[in-house]
Amino acid sequence: MSSLYEEVHSAPSSDIPVRQVTVNVNGESRTANVEPRLLLAHLLRQAFKLTGTHTGCDTTNCGACTILFDGRPIKSCTMLAVQADGHSVQTVEGLASASELHPLQEGFKQEHALQCGFCTPGMMMAAKALLEENLNPTEDEIRWALSGNLCRCTGYQNIVKAVLWAAEKMRAELN
Amino acid sequence: MYPSRFKYESPNTVEEAIKLLDAGKGEAKILAGGQSLVPMLKLRFAFPEQVVDINNIPGLDYIRFDADGTLHIGALVRHEHLEKSLEISKRQPTIAAAAPLVADPIVRTRGTFVGSVCHADPQGDWAATMIALNGSIIVQGPKGKRTIAMKDFVLGPYANSMNYNEIAIEAVIPAPQGVARGGYLKLERRVGDFATASVAVALDMKGDVVVGAGFALAGVGGKTIDANEAASALLGQKLTEATIAKAAAIVAAKAEPRTDHRGSAEYKRHIVETFVKRILVANSTQKVA
Ligand SMILES: Cc1cc2nc3c(=O)[nH]c(=O)nc-3n(C[C@H](O)[C@H](O)[C@H](O)COP(=O)(O)OP(=O)(O)OC[C@H]3O[C@@H](n4cnc5c(N)ncnc54)[C@H](O)[C@@H]3O)c2cc1C
Ligand code: FES
Ligand code: FES
């Protein structure tokens, strides 16, 4: 795993110990050896091969890398992988079950809420965090909750509709 | 972007963290919310030898009001904790108004109040809030604790007056003599952008009468701007059209805006004056336009 940063052509340094981290990812315990400077987004993508989490800006601005960390949304490009040791993480790969899409995924499909799809995983994870707190959000509340996630394609309108769609379906499923 | 290499420790006590900082001799950095430090590591604006992660130290995430009304905010209180706190929304209107305006909702789940004050970004919302509220920071080092008044805490952009082996434990906001009023307004082009101008106003009121007032600005100068001298226009008086205009003019004169892509200097000064007026009018029981 110390090879994760091979592309920057620097061999692991002997005086900086590689650390073992164990993270619960989408309900499954995963372990890796990492350099402390490895970012969580890269641990997920490169070590765990969960490439649904995107890195767009790498500067904490776009939210494409949004995941849930102990249930709260965070930008995984702005947390060290070592910090996730002993914590639980949910990524977009954890949304669907084997046979069924998550209502948010269905909503994005129904309402045409994506074009290139680059922002979509982050949008859905931020929306999931909102719906876990509030299953009956107003349009305003959705826009507010997604204001840390940028989309260059859709103009946001359909993303908001998709979240409303998902909320409605999830409320119906509760009854 | 990859940070340069560093050693990482995540101690479970403040004392251990201080030991690591002390041993680091200035080459160790504390990691709190990481929402400023991690971007700086990636851009290699910061390249510490050692990162001391304080997120695993229990008991630092308290928001506590003493019986007399003094407010304590622990080092691991995140922006969103303040945004969601009912006590804060009832009792500390300046902080309550600023919390939802800091960064974006996802950054707010991690970033901390105290970390933000330590970071001393001239655009930072919490440093301005702390100056207006006449707050102080309690820091702890190998020799124990000391209290640093906010006006002595921020030395300049990204520079605070802590020693390398000290850690900020909590922020303290003094109790009002009467009722804490006030507000926070920020003009930004979009969520998460640096402020075009931000205004923090803290009032201490007994009935209609102002018994304490604080003002500070972010985004309109090379540092957080202390405009507390505008209190002179209000102390012992009611919030009337005349006193409000006087205070707003003093605050606006303290701004040091520069013309840039966010607007002209003149425009920013005008925003500052308008925001001060809006906050004061909203806190006035008088009918003022
Ligand atoms: C996209 C984006 C938008 C943002 N917008 C805003 C905004 O609008 N307004 C605003 O105010 N901020 C904004 N920020 C900054 C954000 O509020 C940060 O959370 C804050 O500046 C730093 O807090 P932190 O807990 O994340 O600190 P960290 O990043 O962990 O640390 C910052 C610095 O403070 C030091 N430090 C932290 N805690 C302590 C401590 N207890 N004792 C001693 N030193 C300590 C660290 O060593 C480091 O040097 C934004 C950040 C991002 C990424
Ligand atoms: S890649 Fe993390 S916020 Fe853009
Ligand atoms: S669909 Fe392309 S960025 Fe959102």
Side-chain angles (χ1 to χ4, degrees):
Chain A
M1 210 54 56
S2 46
S3 64
L4 272 182
Y5 278 149
E6 239 165 28
E7 56 224 82
V8 291
H9 305 294
S10 44
S13 143
S14 53
D15 52 317
I16 296 185
V18 166
R19 297 171 71 106
Q20 190 181 72
V21 298
T22 301
V23 189
N24 184 307
V25 185
N26 300 325
E28 208 183 301
S29 177
R30 309 281 298 260
T31 298
N33 292 320
V34 302
E35 272 194 71
R37 63 176 175 154
L38 186 75
L39 302 168
L40 180 54
H42 295 147
L43 175 76
L44 295 169
R45 288 180 56 84
Q46 284 159 265
F48 299 158
K49 307 290 179 212
L50 294 169
T51 53
T53 300
H54 293 165
T55 53
C57 65
D58 213 357
T59 54
T60 328
N61 282 289
C62 76
C65 64
T66 303
I67 59 157
L68 302 189
F69 181 82
D70 294 337
R72 296 301 296 146
I74 65 150
K75 297 183 178 179
S76 63
C77 74
T78 312
M79 183 182 274
L80 305 174
V82 280
Q83 292 187 273
D85 187 29
H87 293 268
S88 78
V89 155
Q90 282 177 64
T91 69
V92 70
E93 288 89 346
L95 281 182
S97 65
S99 58
E100 254 186 277
L101 291 180
H102 186 277
L104 274 166
Q105 292 169 310
E106 239 184 299
F108 270 66
K109 194 173 149 191
Q110 291 295 336
E111 298 290 354
H112 306 286
L114 59 143
Q115 288 175 30
C116 78
F118 201 84
C119 68
T120 312
M123 286 286 178
M124 291 200 288
M125 296 319 283
K128 181 161 194 271
L130 168 70
L131 296 182
E132 270 164 17
E133 283 187 335
N134 177 2
L135 250 196
N136 205 355
T138 62
E139 193 179 318
D140 243 23
E141 285 167 335
I142 295 171
R143 287 185 186 278
W144 188 247
L146 298 182
S147 58
N149 296 75
L150 302 181
C151 175
R152 294 285 87 143
C153 305
T154 65
Y156 302 98
Q157 199 62 28
N158 288 355
I159 295 178
V160 175
K161 283 191 203 157
V163 179
L164 285 168
W165 192 100
E168 194 179 328
K169 170 143 194 210
M170 287 164 78
R171 287 197 305 274
E173 280 172 355
L174 276 185
N175 297 326
Chain B
M1 287 182 290
Y2 310 110
S4 56
R5 289 207 165 89
F6 50 80
K7 293 181 201 158
Y8 169 88
E9 292 294 341
S10 55
N12 298 118
T13 64
V14 169
E15 289 70 23
E16 272 176 78
I18 292 168
K19 266 193 198 138
L20 288 161
L21 291 177
D22 199 40
K25 304 227 179 317
E27 296 301 326
K29 271 224 156 277
I30 288 182
L31 173 64
Q35 301 304 294
S36 293
L37 182 59
V38 175
M40 295 218 307
L41 291 172
K42 291 204 280 183
L43 295 166
R44 302 203 181 191
F45 289 153
F47 31 84
E49 281 170 15
Q50 165 98 63
V51 166
V52 181
D53 180 0
I54 60 170
N55 286 281
N56 293 321
I57 302 179
L60 288 178
D61 58 352
Y62 52 87
I63 300 172
R64 192 181 74 234
F65 283 94
D66 290 343
D68 72 354
T70 307
L71 169 61
H72 303 263
I73 299 174
L76 286 178
V77 171
R78 320 266 173 198
H79 307 318
E80 80 160 2
H81 296 156
L82 293 161
E83 186 182 1
K84 291 179 175 171
S85 161
L86 285 178
E87 279 245 283
I88 291 290
S89 73
K90 271 192 227 138
R91 301 180 64 177
Q92 193 15 264
T94 310
I95 292 179
L101 301 179
V102 176
D104 67 47
I106 303 183
V107 169
R108 287 200 293 277
T109 68
R110 291 300 296 173
T112 66
F113 181 98
V114 170
S116 171
V117 175
C118 291
H119 189 53
D121 186 329
Q123 317 265 356
D125 295 303
W126 291 133
T129 305
M130 281 287 279
I131 294 220
L133 286 165
N134 190 24
S136 52
I137 299 282
I138 297 184
V139 306
Q140 189 173 336
K143 290 191 198 126
K145 289 186 188 171
R146 64 186 178 119
T147 300
I148 308 176
M150 197 52 206
K151 63 176 171 38
D152 305 319
F153 188 77
V154 175
L155 297 178
Y158 312 105
N160 63 47
S161 56
M162 275 187 288
N163 296 325
Y164 69 85
N165 55 9
E166 287 177 317
I167 157 172
I169 299 298
E170 66 170 35
V172 183
I173 285 131
Q177 302 166 48
V179 177
R181 308 283 301 266
Y184 195 90
L185 285 173
K186 173 173 174 176
L187 181 70
E188 52 183 2
R189 295 180 305 168
R190 56 175 171 75
V191 167
D193 188 27
F194 288 118
T196 305
S198 294
V199 174
V201 177
L203 295 171
D204 182 352
M205 304 207 34
K206 281 189 175 164
D208 287 351
V209 178
V210 177
V211 294
F215 300 87
L217 308 174
V220 284
K223 57 179 184 340
T224 309
I225 290 183
D226 182 333
N228 283 326
E229 67 183 62
S232 63
L234 300 178
L235 288 181
Q237 313 219 42
K238 293 181 180 178
L239 294 171
T240 63
E241 213 169 318
T243 56
I244 289 174
K246 198 168 163 205
I250 299 175
V251 178
K254 293 293 284 183
E256 299 165 17
R258 281 180 32 190
T259 297
D260 62 13
H261 57 290
R262 293 187 180 83
S264 68
E266 192 191 358
Y267 168 70
K268 292 181 190 178
R269 197 183 298 280
H270 178 72
I271 293 293
V272 168
E273 188 161 356
T274 305
F275 279 2
V276 175
K277 282 186 188 162
R278 279 190 196 163
I279 297 170
L280 292 177
V281 167
N283 283 283
S284 166
T285 49
Q286 318 273 311
K287 276 248 175 287
V288 280

